């Protein structure tokens, strides 16, 4: 090495801890048969010595990369989504043998190329994907290849696959019931990406719950392509409309900020003339609008759950046993 420093190996850790080479190796591979005290001792020594696994060697010996790949949709419109997701995954892989590779996707139609590259070159042991569609081609590719993966979102495939998803049907139902309870009779859903399963789940639940409550329900579609300035203009148009809704549900913090800006500029007093409930993924909007109702998705926790599911899938657990939903967390701040 150029620095002249001795390379830290498994033998170095074994000498420092007084443990056998096989015990150190098993511990660093995540061996669950070892005592937690032993695993902690090895991890602390490895960290203190600055041990870095020889991934090329590991791959040659085992066929494993010890890498998890997160294919992250770059077009997401939830504030803090990417950072919280990555932090959740990073927290979950602490103490395991896995490392995280993040692959941002800014053109969704190219996402299959990314999955094909991972499958062809085996650059990861498993994959996490976000923003799934009902018949997502990425999911089909990995099912066909029998490759370990987990999706943040559900699909309509008959073959089961691992997923963790926000219970968006409950999000919509909670919001509608809240608005109906506050006296709203004409409500609007402002929603973005219509290519995802999440979109269809929210819209269906929104309309069903509104019909059950006996109130008018409208869906404002196509907002995913609108800039913040254009979304603000939508808010101003709603403020001036003679048939303005008296309740709004919004599925995105970014859209909410722009929409509220337009509504207030148009002279609408939120909480009195129009009630609004939004999907919360950060702490920003509660700071800006402390009296506005929200329903929170814990994206950090989602990252952790996706990671746990994926590691179990890599370890051979059946996909149908790795399907979970996160319940919405309502925060009713106004009276």
């Amino acid at each position: 090495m150029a620095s002249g420093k001795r390379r830290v190996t498994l033998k170095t850790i074994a000498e420092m801890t007084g443990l056998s080479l096989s015990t150190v190796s098993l511990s660093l591979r995540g061996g669950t048969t070892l005592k937690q005290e032993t695993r902690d001792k090895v991890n602390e020594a490895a960290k203190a010595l600055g041990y870095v696994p020889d991934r090329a060697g590991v791959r040659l010996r085992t066929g494993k990369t010890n890498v998890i790949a997160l294919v992250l949709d770059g077009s997401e419109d939830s504030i803090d989504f990417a950072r919280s997701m990555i932090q959740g995954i990073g927290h979950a892989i602490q103490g395991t043998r896995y490392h995280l590779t993040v692959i941002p996707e800014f053109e969704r139609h190219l996402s299959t190329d990314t999955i094909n590259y991972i499958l062809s070159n085996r650059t990861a042991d498993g994959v996490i994907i976000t923003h799934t569609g009902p018949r997502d081609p990425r999911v089909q590719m990995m099912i066909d290849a029998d490759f370990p993966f987990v999706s943040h979102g559900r699909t309509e495939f008959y073959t089961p696959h691992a997923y963790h998803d926000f219970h968006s049907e409950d999000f919509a139902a909670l919001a509608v019931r809240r608005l109906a309870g506050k006296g709203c009779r004409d409500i609007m859903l402002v929603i973005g990406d219509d290519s995802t399963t999440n979109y269809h789940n929210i819209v269906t639940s929104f309309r069903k719950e509104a019909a059950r409550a006996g109130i008018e329900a409208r869906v404002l579609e196509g907002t995913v392509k609108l800039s913040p300035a254009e979304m603000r203009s939508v808010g101003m148009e709603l403020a001036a409309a003679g048939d303005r809704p008296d309740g709004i549900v919004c599925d995105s913090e970014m859209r909410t900020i722009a929409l509220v800006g337009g509504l207030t500029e148009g002279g609408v007093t939120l909480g009195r003339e129009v009630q609004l409930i939004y999907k919360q993924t950060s702490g920003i909007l509660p700071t800006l609008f402390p009296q506005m109702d929200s329903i929170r998705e814990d994206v950090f926790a989602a990252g952790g759950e996706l990671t746990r599911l994926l590691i179990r899938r890599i370890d051979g657990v059946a996909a149908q046993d790795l399907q979970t939903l996160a319940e919405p967390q309502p925060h009713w701040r106004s009276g």
Side-chain angles (χ1 to χ4, degrees):
M1 295 175 66
S3 63
K5 291 178 65 177
R6 177 188 172 196
R7 183 174 179 274
V8 178
T9 65
L10 298 181
K11 185 178 179 182
T12 315
I13 299 172
E15 290 172 351
M16 180 177 180
T17 59
L19 299 168
S20 69
L21 198 61
S22 60
T23 298
V24 170
S25 176
L26 179 60
S27 179
L28 291 174
R29 294 200 310 273
T32 56
T33 57
L34 297 174
K35 293 180 179 178
Q36 186 61 46
E37 179 184 355
T38 301
R39 293 162 65 187
D40 290 343
K41 185 175 183 180
V42 171
N43 285 336
E44 288 170 9
K47 190 178 296 184
L49 291 166
Y51 172 72
V52 177
D54 181 357
R55 292 194 199 171
V58 169
R59 186 173 182 181
L60 284 172
R61 290 193 305 274
T62 67
K64 298 290 186 181
T65 63
N66 290 347
V67 170
I68 287 173
L70 168 64
V71 181
L72 188 65
D73 193 302
S75 64
E76 57 87 9
D77 54 10
S78 298
I79 295 174
D80 232 17
F81 180 92
R83 184 183 69 85
S84 297
M85 176 67 69
I86 292 169
Q87 284 188 337
I89 296 171
H91 185 265
I93 61 175
Q94 286 182 1
T96 74
R97 64 182 181 272
Y98 292 103
H99 299 264
L100 176 65
T101 296
V102 180
I103 307 170
E105 287 288 0
F106 297 102
E107 297 291 338
R108 188 169 294 174
H109 68 278
L110 298 177
S111 196
T112 50
D113 294 341
T114 298
I115 298 300
N116 185 57
Y117 180 85
I118 294 171
L119 294 176
S120 300
N121 296 280
R122 284 299 192 267
T123 56
D125 294 338
V127 172
I128 297 171
I129 59 173
T130 65
H131 297 75
T132 52
R135 304 294 296 178
D136 199 301
R138 302 170 299 171
V139 170
Q140 185 68 71
M141 289 173 69
M142 290 186 283
I143 288 176
D144 291 345
D146 194 24
F147 189 78
F149 77 97
V150 61
S151 63
H152 186 229
R154 286 161 281 175
T155 66
E156 293 178 353
F157 288 102
Y158 177 76
T159 303
H161 65 82
Y163 67 74
H164 176 67
D165 197 9
F166 180 62
H167 202 162
S168 49
E169 300 95 318
D170 275 7
F171 159 77
L174 281 168
V176 172
R177 287 199 294 268
R178 173 67 169 173
L179 292 176
K182 298 180 83 170
C184 296
R185 306 305 301 166
D186 181 2
I187 63 176
M188 174 179 284
L189 172 64
V190 179
I191 188 168
D193 192 353
D194 62 2
S195 68
T196 64
T197 310
N198 182 67
Y199 168 91
H200 296 286
N201 290 340
I202 290 177
V203 169
T204 301
S205 179
F206 175 80
R207 286 179 168 148
K208 186 183 296 183
E209 197 64 34
R212 186 177 289 122
I215 59 179
E216 187 72 24
R218 313 182 234 170
V219 178
L220 181 63
E221 301 176 329
T223 62
V224 69
K225 296 178 181 179
L226 299 183
S227 69
E230 290 169 330
M231 195 70 236
R232 184 184 181 91
S233 295
V234 169
M236 292 183 67
E237 290 169 8
L238 284 174
D243 62 344
R244 181 180 65 212
D246 55 9
I248 296 175
V249 179
C250 192
D251 75 327
S252 156
E253 286 184 323
M254 288 185 179
R255 273 189 286 280
T256 299
I257 290 174
L259 187 67
V260 167
L263 286 168
T264 53
E265 186 174 341
V268 169
T269 303
L270 289 171
R272 190 169 67 215
E273 295 166 288
V274 174
Q275 306 291 336
L276 192 149
I277 300 175
Y278 64 94
K279 180 181 174 185
Q280 179 187 343
T281 53
S282 78
I284 294 176
L285 260 74
T287 302
L288 296 174
F289 309 108
Q291 299 305 314
M292 200 156 62
D293 288 339
S294 70
I295 300 175
R296 180 171 178 258
E297 176 183 10
D298 190 337
V299 180
F300 178 90
E305 177 68 2
L306 287 163
T307 305
R308 286 185 285 273
L309 293 174
L310 180 57
I311 290 175
R312 293 183 67 199
R313 183 72 184 115
I314 293 170
D315 290 342
V317 177
Q320 59 263 31
D321 297 327
L322 302 173
Q323 300 175 335
T324 60
L325 292 175
E327 293 304 320
Q329 303 169 8
H331 294 277
W332 305 146
R333 299 181 176 90
S334 56

